[in-house]
Amino acid sequence: MESAPKQGDEGAPDAWIEFEPDVLDALRGIEPGDELVLLTWFDRADRGALMTHPRGDTSRPEAGVFTTRSPHRPNPIGLHRVEVLSIEGLRMKVNHLEALDGTPIVDVKPVLSADASER
Amino acid sequence: MESAPKQGDEGAPDAWIEFEPDVLDALRGIEPGDELVLLTWFDRADRGALMTHPRGDTSRPEAGVFTTRSPHRPNPIGLHRVEVLSIEGLRMKVNHLEALDGTPIVDVKPVLSADASER
C-alpha cells in the first residue's frame, strides 16, 4: 500500500502490488484499464471462525461465515475486483484494494461477464 | 457431480457438493436461490504453467495465465458463480459448476453487487 493512499470510488485505497520474479510471465498481457479479480490470503485471519455478525453489526444475529465476506473463515481467501492503473514489470498499481499492507496475493484473474450480476 | 448431470444454462452441469462436518456452522443461513461464489482448488492442475493459449486455441498467441481463467496456474484456485438449488445439512446442490468430480471446495462466499460488471 502507498503511505498516503488516495481514496478510490468505493472507499478503498489505490495500492501497489509487487509480484515475485518467478511469475513475471504469468503477468504478460495485463494492461492499464484491465479489470481483474485479485485473490488474497488473509494471513492474519482467525481460521477457526465459523459464524459472525454480518458486517460486524452485533445487533444482527450471527450467520455462517460462508454467507459473509468476513476475512475470518476456514480458508481465508479474499476476492477483490480492481482496475489496473499501471503496470511495470513486477509492479502493478490498482484501485479499490481493501487489504492490509503485506497481504499476499495468491492469484490474478480477468473479470468475466459470467461474474456479472443481473441485479 | 451427479452421474447424469442436467445441463445448466451455461453448459455446465448441476452438481452436489458435500462439506466436511467441521464447517457445518459456516453454512448456516444459506438457502435455495442464493447466489454464491465457490472457490475450488484445481488439484490436477499444472502449477508450473505461466503462459497459455487463451481458451486453449493454439491459433492465438500465448498470454500470461493471469489474463486467463485456465486452471493451470501457480495457485490453481477456481472461481465459480452458482445458484443454490437445495441444501440439507452438509450437502448442497448447485447449478452451473464446471469442475472435475472430487475437486475440493476451499471457500464459499455470497455474490456482492461490487462483483457485478457494468457491461
Side-chain angles (χ1 to χ4, degrees), chain B residues 77-97:
Chain B
I77 299 169
L79 279 189
H80 312 265
R81 182 172 172 161
V82 300
E83 181 183 338
V84 178
L85 300 176
S86 66
I87 182 164
E88 292 174 42
L90 294 164
R91 277 168 61 80
M92 182 163 76
K93 188 179 186 182
V94 302
N95 65 9
H96 301 165
L97 182 59

Side-chain angles (χ1 to χ4, degrees), chain B:
Chain B
M1 297 295 192
E2 298 179 287
S3 54
K6 193 177 94 184
Q7 293 301 306
D9 288 348
E10 293 166 4
D14 298 346
W16 281 102
I17 297 165
E18 181 133 3
F19 291 89
E20 302 286 339
D22 58 2
V23 299
L24 179 62
D25 281 344
L27 294 164
R28 293 194 190 282
I30 294 179
E31 297 178 346
D34 285 356
E35 292 197 277
L36 301 177
V37 180
L38 302 184
L39 282 65
T40 57
W41 181 258
F42 293 127
D43 54 345
R44 281 148 279 187
D46 172 10
R47 299 187 62 181
L50 296 174
M51 299 189 72
T52 190
H53 297 285
R55 297 177 174 274
D57 179 351
T58 53
S59 71
R60 298 172 66 180
E62 285 197 312
V65 292
F66 292 162
T67 71
T68 79
R69 290 290 184 106
S70 169
H72 306 295
R73 52 203 312 120
N75 287 311
I77 299 169
L79 279 189
H80 312 265
R81 182 172 172 161
V82 300
E83 181 183 338
V84 178
L85 300 176
S86 66
I87 182 164
E88 292 174 42
L90 294 164
R91 277 168 61 80
M92 182 163 76
K93 188 179 186 182
V94 302
N95 65 9
H96 301 165
L97 182 59
E98 189 79 67
L100 296 176
D101 194 14
T103 299
I105 306 285
V106 294
D107 198 12
V108 177
K109 299 181 188 296
V111 173
L112 296 186
S113 59
D115 301 323
S117 169
E118 318 301 345
R119 291 168 292 185

Side-chain angles (χ1 to χ4, degrees), chain A residues 6-87:
Chain A
K6 192 175 97 185
Q7 294 300 305
D9 288 349
E10 293 167 3
D14 297 346
W16 281 101
I17 297 166
E18 181 134 2
F19 290 89
E20 302 287 338
D22 58 3
V23 298
L24 179 61
D25 280 344
L27 294 163
R28 292 194 190 283
I30 294 178
E31 297 179 345
D34 286 356
E35 293 196 276
L36 300 177
V37 179
L38 302 184
L39 281 67
T40 56
W41 181 258
F42 292 126
D43 54 345
R44 281 148 280 188
D46 172 10
R47 299 187 63 182
L50 296 174
M51 299 188 72
T52 189
H53 296 285
R55 296 176 174 274
D57 179 351
T58 55
S59 71
R60 298 172 67 179
E62 284 196 313
V65 291
F66 292 162
T67 71
T68 79
R69 290 290 184 105
S70 169
H72 306 295
R73 54 203 311 120
N75 287 312
I77 300 169
L79 278 189
H80 312 264
R81 183 173 171 159
V82 301
E83 181 182 338
V84 177
L85 300 176
S86 64
I87 181 164

